């Protein structure tokens, strides 16, 4: 369904931009801005579900103290808001807001700054007593760290860096999706990365530029910068340090894919009757951009300089694993508790030319297992392993995707 809706939105976007271009001779900034805002609202209207109580509008966001955000170009909200007299704008409480979108004709450094500050005004009115789905936090924490969500008491025992990461992900789960949508701007992924890093460098010692203050998604034409906070996107890295988080990645095509997935992931937790099959079994690669780590001194950022890879959308596929990785997982599936110092398992691995320690590190990196109290546990709840043409595969069977992949391969 994601691809069906995305294709519709892509065609509407292309058609809308073509219609707007015929009127750019007007040279009146507010009118041009209104046209792009209207197009964005129409796109978002196509992205939301008609059988749930959702609305697309513009206006302001409030909290119980009566504090207001700055004017927001486009909001996806639930329930009834207060219409501002003689305008098309509304005021909605922060608890009713699913997503906010700042719209720009072109997104360059100046527009990044304007949109950033508008979206920051949304974060500034979030209150700590706001309701939050614990399932949403669990997903964020597991996707980012590769571990199960700790209890409140367990968090207090974590190293300082890990505690800051935990609390950052709590904030991410509280906040609505925040998107900057530029229909043009930085012409390449590389230029967009460079421009954003420069912007962040110029503001790194200013309050309000911690990682949780950054937008969920920034779009400039076909190029995107995505917050990888685990809701739903995340990037894994080997040998990552305590408390480190690869917090942002980039892509060079299909920005509406990210828009839809960000919004629908939030709706999935708000409306429990939504089916998993709203999500197509597709995935997109991202190029890592920013690694961060927080302490009492604040956020430290490391720019990840990589050769940019193709980020074309592809059908989901499971992860290939080794023979002994498969054996280990089958033993766990059979109910055996395996400790990282289990000498029998270590010996069997050695006899088959593999090292248990290396297997554990590889499976942790691939977000397949985690270790708690020296016991190996599987991270996904609905997982499967299969053998196909002498190779071993592991997959999370969310949305029945592992079964569908295997049936497709057998045809």
């Amino acid at each position: 369904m994601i691809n069906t809706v995305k294709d519709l939105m892509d065609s509407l976007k292309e058609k809308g931009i073509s219609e707007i271009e015929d009127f750019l001779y007007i040279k009146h900034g507010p009118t041009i801005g209104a046209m792009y805002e209207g197009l964005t609202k129409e796109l978002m209207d196509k992205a939301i579900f008609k059988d749930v109580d959702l609305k697309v509008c513009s206006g302001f966001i409030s909290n119980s103290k009566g504090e207001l955000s700055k004017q927001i170009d486009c909001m996806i909200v639930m329930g009834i808001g207060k219409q501002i007299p003689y305008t098309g704008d509304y005021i909605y409480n922060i608890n009713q807001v699913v997503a906010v979108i700042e719209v720009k004709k072109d997104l360059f450094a100046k527009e990044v700054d304007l949109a950033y500050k508008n979206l920051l005004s949304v974060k500034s009115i979030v209150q700590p007593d706001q309701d939050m789905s614990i399932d949403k936090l669990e997903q964020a924490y597991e996707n980012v760290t590769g571990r199960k969500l700790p209890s409140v008491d367990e968090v207090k025992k974590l190293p300082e860096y890990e505690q800051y990461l935990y609390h950052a992900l709590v904030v991410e789960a509280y906040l609505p999706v925040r998107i900057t949508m530029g229909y043009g701007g930085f012409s390449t992924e590389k230029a967009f990365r460079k421009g954003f890093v420069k912007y962040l460098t110029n503001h790194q010692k200013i309050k309000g530029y911690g990682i949780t203050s950054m937008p969920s998604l920034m779009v400039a034409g076909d190029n995107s910068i995505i917050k990888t906070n685990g809701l739903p996107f995340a990037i894994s890295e080997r040998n990552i340090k305590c408390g480190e988080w690869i917090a942002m990645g980039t892509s060079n095509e299909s920005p509406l894919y990210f828009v839809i997935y960000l919004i629908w992931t939030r709706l999935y937790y708000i409306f429990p009757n939504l089916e998993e099959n709203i999500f197509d079994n597709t995935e997109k690669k991202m190029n890592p951009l920013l690694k961060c780590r927080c302490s009492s001194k604040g956020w430290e950022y490391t720019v990840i300089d990589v050769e940019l890879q193709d980020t074309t959308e592809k059908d989901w596929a499971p992860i290939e694993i080794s023979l002994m990785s498969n054996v280990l997982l089958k033993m766990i599936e059979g109910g055996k508790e395996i400790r990282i110092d289990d000498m029998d398992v270590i010996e069997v691995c050695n006899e088959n030319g593999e090292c248990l320690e290396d297997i554990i590190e590889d499976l942790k990196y691939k977000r397949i297992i985690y270790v708690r109290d020296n016991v190996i546990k599987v991270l996904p709840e609905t997982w499967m392993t299969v053998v196909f043409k002498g190779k071993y595969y592991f997959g999370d069977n969310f949305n029945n995707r592992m079964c569908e992949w295997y049936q497709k391969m057998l045809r």
Side-chain angles (χ1 to χ4, degrees), residues 6-17:
K6 183 179 75 66
D7 291 344
L8 172 61
M9 291 173 65
D10 277 329
S11 64
L12 288 174
K13 177 183 173 184
E14 184 178 345
K15 179 176 181 291
I17 291 174

Side-chain angles (χ1 to χ4, degrees), residues 279-318:
F279 300 100
D280 283 347
N281 288 331
T282 55
E283 58 186 355
K284 279 179 68 66
K285 180 180 176 58
M286 286 179 285
N287 292 304
L289 171 64
L290 199 69
K291 184 190 298 183
C292 64
R293 198 184 199 201
C294 189
S295 69
S296 57
K297 297 179 181 179
W299 287 99
E300 302 173 357
Y301 299 117
T302 302
V303 177
I304 304 174
D305 187 15
V306 295
E307 183 177 347
L308 300 182
Q309 303 295 316
D310 176 49
T311 58
T312 302
E313 185 179 344
K314 298 178 180 178
D315 289 339
W316 178 88

Side-chain angles (χ1 to χ4, degrees), residues 150-168:
S151 67
V152 175
D153 289 337
E154 289 172 332
V155 171
K156 296 174 182 177
K157 299 175 184 178
L158 292 174
E160 180 189 46
Y161 290 116
E162 294 283 357
Q163 290 189 42
Y164 278 106
L165 174 55
Y166 168 86
H167 289 297

